[in-house]
Amino acid sequence: MRRHASLRVPGLLAFVKRLGELGWVEGKTVVIEYRWADARSERYREIAAEFASRNVDVILTWASAPTLAVKHATTTIPVVFAAQMDPVGAGVVASLARPGGNIAGMSIQQTDTAGKRIELLREAVPKLARLAVMANAGAPGAVLEMREVVATARGLGIEATSLEVRQADDIFAAVESLRDRADALYVANRSADLQQSRQDQRDGTGRSPADHLWRPRIC
């Protein structure tokens, strides 16, 4: 459990800096409690329950999974999500125009650009015929994106395979299962969180497990 802004999250540091410019100086005029799930989806509910029990003034989240956890934990504490793929599709808010309840934030929905991204991938892999799409199953936005990409790819005549991973250890097996089965690997948004967690699992050569297997095109 870390209680200070992480240097690995530039956006968070910018947020804290802007708060200070507006008069909310951390440690002086405002107390900020940081919690990190460290790519463990089950931690979201624990953190949400903790904040709800402490009746904090406002909860700031990022992405669908932690926001949904907080939504189930409280209906009174204001919740702001900094960014989310598809808050409506994930069930976080009723609509973008009228979110309703105690939750609001910024949508960065990208699912409607799946066709363009596959087009760009085809430019990198002209003979693309088999596409694997990986998503963090604990991130609803990533799962929605994966489904959209798979559907779009199949509509373009590309054989598409879905891969859901839930923790860093799943990545090795998922990539290994693709040996000789895919021409490219598309990693959905927020799935990189697991990859970040996996950095600590590198072997003595300084390379991650997947580097030993094969090198598909990754989008």
Side-chain angles (χ1 to χ4, degrees):
M1 180 184 299
R2 297 186 289 275
R3 293 180 179 270
H4 301 287
S6 171
L7 293 177
R8 293 189 307 171
V9 189
L12 180 56
L13 293 177
F15 170 73
V16 174
K17 179 182 178 182
R18 182 56 178 160
L19 279 181
E21 294 171 349
L22 295 173
W24 289 292
V25 181
E26 185 176 12
K28 294 183 179 180
T29 58
V30 65
V31 175
I32 303 177
E33 292 284 351
Y34 301 94
R35 297 294 185 273
W36 308 89
D38 293 319
R40 292 164 47 207
S41 299
E42 69 276 9
R43 282 278 292 141
Y44 295 136
R45 287 188 179 275
E46 298 172 9
I47 296 170
E50 177 194 355
F51 283 160
S53 67
R54 296 180 62 178
N55 197 30
V56 297
D57 295 316
V58 63
I59 300 175
L60 175 68
T61 65
W62 179 282
S64 302
T67 307
L68 285 170
V70 173
K71 179 179 181 179
H72 291 132
T74 178
T75 58
T76 57
I77 300 175
V79 179
V80 178
F81 52 86
Q84 194 165 324
M85 285 293 296
D86 184 0
V88 177
V92 172
V93 297
S95 72
L96 296 181
R98 297 177 180 273
N102 59 320
I103 303 177
M106 184 177 72
S107 171
I108 54 172
Q109 185 170 352
Q110 301 177 38
T111 55
D112 56 354
T113 63
K116 181 61 178 179
R117 294 198 297 277
I118 292 177
E119 179 182 329
L120 293 174
L121 185 56
R122 268 181 155 174
E123 293 180 7
V125 190
K127 296 183 179 180
L128 177 63
R130 301 171 301 174
L131 175 66
V133 186
M134 180 185 294
N136 177 0
V143 175
L144 286 171
E145 180 182 357
M146 177 183 68
R147 292 172 180 169
E148 179 73 13
V149 171
V150 168
T152 301
R154 289 174 177 169
L156 294 173
I158 300 173
E159 180 184 336
T161 302
S162 300
L163 294 172
E164 291 191 4
V165 293
R166 295 183 178 276
Q167 56 188 4
D169 291 341
D170 295 340
I171 296 177
F172 183 97
V175 174
E176 186 175 29
S177 71
L178 295 176
R179 188 193 298 269
D180 299 324
R181 293 178 51 212
D183 303 314
L185 172 62
Y186 180 108
V187 181
N189 188 39
R190 300 302 300 172
S191 304
D193 290 349
L194 297 178
Q195 172 68 18
Q196 178 64 45
S197 174
R198 191 171 64 105
Q199 297 304 310
D200 296 332
Q201 301 176 9
R202 293 180 181 276
D203 64 14
T205 67
R207 297 181 297 175
S208 61
D211 292 335
H212 296 279
L213 302 175
W214 62 302
R215 292 185 174 277
R217 294 280 185 167
I218 299 178
C219 176

